[in-house]
Amino acid sequence: MALVLLSGQPSALTRQSFSTLPDRHQSDWVEVTLLRSLGGIPVAPTSPRRSKSDHLMRSCCCIMLVLLLMSCQQPDVTSGSVRTPAPAQPSAPARVTPHPEFVDMVITLVNRERTTAGCPALTPNETLIQVARAHSQDMAVHRFLEHTGSDGRSPAQRVQAAGYQYRIVAENVAAGRLTPEGAVQGWMQSPEHRANILNCELRDTGVGVVEAPDDPTYGIYWTQLFGTPF
């Protein structure tokens, strides 16, 4: 506002106030306005002919001008402020559903194949069951089908970390098979998986089955661990 006044371009309010003063006092009004805009103190009137109404009008105009200057000089509390973005909402974990009811059926079907081949039946082992279930859940949550887990560990490392001391360990995994029969049938049709099922030196087993209803690729994940302890 002060710059506008000093540059000879008074505001609309200033022009309106200026036009209401008598001609003989216009120079005094400009003097007071400039002093006020520069932060100074207006001088006392020099002309004894000024009326009381002139003094009152000039005082009112000065007060209005000061208020305008103060409003224009208020600091902008929003300028220069840094808007902190809202933290990103963590993505919801994948919805998974374990199927413990499939465990016994898979073991029964596998032992049936082993008996036919002349191998001893496998014994369910709780540690191997827990490790197998954890790996199936890992695959379901992270949407992959591998023996190596999302943490980089191998089946042998997972089993050993769980406290199962083994002499032999093996693992079969599958995905997309909807029933225990379909999972075992698929393994028996694969030479590598069939070899694990019909390895007569293996003694213990554990099965884990976890469904991922929102997974459009596989939907359900299967893990069977085999082991022979020391």
Side-chain angles (χ1 to χ4, degrees):
M1 193 71 155
L3 291 176
V4 173
L5 290 170
L6 290 174
S7 64
Q9 298 176 355
S11 66
L13 177 60
T14 305
R15 289 195 299 268
Q16 182 180 1
S17 300
F18 187 86
S19 64
T20 60
L21 295 176
D23 292 340
R24 65 179 180 272
H25 299 316
Q26 288 184 3
S27 59
D28 293 329
W29 164 242
V30 173
E31 178 185 35
V32 171
T33 302
L34 291 176
L35 285 171
R36 180 66 65 180
S37 66
L38 291 172
I41 302 174
V43 297
T46 56
S47 173
R49 296 174 298 174
R50 291 172 182 162
S51 65
K52 186 176 181 180
S53 60
D54 291 340
H55 283 290
L56 180 59
M57 182 178 295
R58 186 176 65 174
S59 299
C60 292
C61 291
C62 289
I63 292 173
M64 293 176 63
L65 182 58
V66 169
L67 292 175
L68 286 173
L69 287 171
M70 290 177 62
S71 65
C72 291
Q73 293 173 358
Q74 290 294 324
D76 184 1
V77 296
T78 60
S79 62
S81 61
V82 178
R83 182 179 179 86
T84 304
Q89 295 296 325
S91 57
R95 188 162 56 99
V96 296
T97 305
H99 283 283
E101 70 275 11
F102 289 163
V103 172
D104 290 340
M105 180 60 69
V106 170
I107 295 175
T108 297
L109 293 172
V110 166
N111 279 336
R112 186 178 299 168
E113 297 290 347
R114 287 174 63 86
T115 299
T116 302
C119 297
L122 297 171
T123 301
N125 180 276
E126 187 60 31
T127 299
L128 295 182
I129 289 174
Q130 292 177 6
V131 175
R133 183 187 304 123
H135 185 57
S136 288
Q137 180 160 332
D138 185 26
M139 293 190 295
V141 169
H142 295 97
R143 305 290 196 262
F144 71 94
L145 180 63
E146 296 286 346
H147 291 289
T148 302
S150 62
D151 59 0
R153 294 190 301 173
S154 67
Q157 291 172 323
R158 292 193 293 270
V159 167
Q160 191 171 26
Y164 183 87
Q165 301 301 317
Y166 62 89
R167 182 171 61 86
I168 306 173
V169 67
E171 181 183 75
N172 285 348
V173 295
R177 302 284 181 167
L178 299 180
T179 63
E181 292 83 359
V184 174
Q185 182 181 10
W187 284 332
M188 289 298 293
Q189 292 173 348
S190 165
E192 294 83 4
H193 298 85
R194 180 186 177 92
N196 286 337
I197 291 175
L198 301 182
N199 185 341
C200 294
E201 296 186 23
L202 296 171
R203 293 293 181 266
D204 297 336
T205 190
V207 176
V209 184
V210 176
E211 182 181 3
D214 301 326
D215 179 10
T217 303
Y218 295 117
I220 189 168
Y221 296 80
W222 307 74
T223 301
Q224 182 170 19
L225 278 168
F226 309 86
T228 300
F230 284 114

